[in-house]
Amino acid sequence: MTAFVSGAATDVGQVRAHNEDTFVVAGTVFVVADGMGGHNGGEIASQVAVDRLADIGPINSINDLVRGVQEANADILERAREQPEFRGMGTTVVMLADIERAGSHRLGVANVGDSRLYRMTDSGLHQHTEDHSLVEALVRDGRLTRAEAAVHPQRNIVTRALGIDDKVLVDAWELIPVVGDRYVLCSDGLFGEIDDGEIHEVLQSALSPQDAADELVRRAREAGGRDNITVVVVDVVEADPGVERPADRVAGIHKALSGEVLGDAGPITSGPCRDETPSGFVPPTVTRRVGLVTAAVLFVMIGMLVAVSAIGRSGYTVSEGDNGTVVILKGRDGGFLFFDQTLEVESDIDVDELPPTAVTAVRDGQRFDALETAELYLENLRNSSDSSGS
Ligand code: MG
């Protein structure tokens, strides 16, 4: 048995004319979505996503969350097809929900975009989700510091969102609910204005979830309120007794691509297992809040930055092989030049059959620290090549 007490608050901020954020608290499902797009498209996109996720039926596994996010993505695309003025609208989504399987309970988390889930435990405040944003990719690549990213003029560019492509990569986790843990779902309007230290301080001061949500929104607004601000605070007040409690609360991590869930946490009664860590994956869908900056240009830009920084570093590069297929090359630790790379994986994917943005990205070379992340990217290319109807 699990039980939660929650509170939520949202505010348009001091600059924007509309609030394009939407949240929902529906039973044991909690969602924050941050919409983007002209002609009120952002409000529509976040609302469509939240409506779908509030009503996905019984949640028995993490796959149900991922499926829900993918259905929300399809709903937004469908709506944009029906009403051309909404073309290009999109939304981030971060979701926390109770999972019930054979009488046992876990917490499911799903994330696409740069809204966040934080968790406060005895050991402090932890940002659970990874931002799918341009600045986060540059930080991971060592090209920006955290401090620089926080004030970067392009910090609102997201590298993943719903409503952009019929395929969406969803990060998802299964967590162990522990009484006393406090979760926060929020849009970037919160952490764009106040830092993690201040968020922690507010959450620690023993406020009710509603008071905490109100106070966080108030502070972000007071600090500038340059974007819409939305916060949902969820306290775990009841949980299954006697389960293991790893510090990160993680019982399973899933990466879902195009409807396939990679890896499985197994039955809920099993001990914690860690499938894989969140990746530095930048997929071939890049969008921008408000306004239509072409995805191709941004993707090429990121691709070039990533490729340039590849030189002289260890890791893996997805690029075009001698025979025109996509390959994964392994860099040499401490090696001095690009030419030292060796062939790690040879695929049967023809570069010519990929969508144009992906062709450019592959020819520029895409860098990854881990082989499994490079392989995930390769799988994504395979799917996009299948769907482009060769
Ligand atoms: Mg925002």
Side-chain angles (χ1 to χ4, degrees), residues 174-345:
E174 199 167 287
L175 307 180
I176 294 170
V178 175
V179 171
D181 286 357
R182 172 171 272 189
Y183 287 89
V184 177
L185 300 87
C186 64
S187 62
D188 63 337
L190 177 69
F191 55 83
E193 298 294 357
I194 65 175
D195 63 20
D196 287 4
E198 188 169 354
I199 294 172
H200 191 197
E201 180 195 314
V202 172
L203 294 171
Q204 263 184 320
S205 43
L207 302 164
S208 73
Q210 186 61 53
D211 288 347
D214 288 338
E215 178 63 9
L216 287 170
V217 168
R218 191 190 67 75
R219 289 199 189 201
R221 189 186 157 88
E222 204 174 86
R226 289 164 292 180
D227 194 0
N228 309 144
I229 311 145
T230 301
V231 177
V232 177
V233 178
V234 183
D235 286 357
V236 181
V237 296
E238 201 175 330
D240 297 339
V243 292
E244 284 188 65
R245 296 171 182 188
D248 64 2
R249 305 298 191 244
V250 173
I253 301 178
H254 296 237
K255 289 276 178 182
L257 271 167
S258 310
E260 288 171 54
V261 173
L262 308 179
D264 188 341
I268 220 160
T269 48
S270 72
C273 64
R274 185 154 209 149
D275 299 343
E276 53 180 318
T277 53
S279 73
F281 177 75
V282 179
T285 52
V286 179
T287 185
R288 182 180 182 164
R289 303 243 146 98
V290 189
L292 299 168
V293 170
T294 72
V297 170
L298 283 172
F299 192 57
V300 169
M301 200 175 82
I302 294 171
M304 289 191 325
L305 287 172
V306 173
V308 165
S309 70
I311 297 171
R313 292 182 52 192
S314 64
Y316 297 85
T317 304
V318 177
S319 69
E320 183 174 10
D322 293 339
N323 59 358
T325 59
V326 183
V327 296
I328 300 177
L329 300 172
K330 187 181 190 321
R332 191 166 285 180
D333 213 351
F336 49 97
L337 274 182
F338 206 67
F339 306 106
D340 279 334
Q341 289 177 317
T342 53
L343 184 65
E344 182 77 13
V345 175

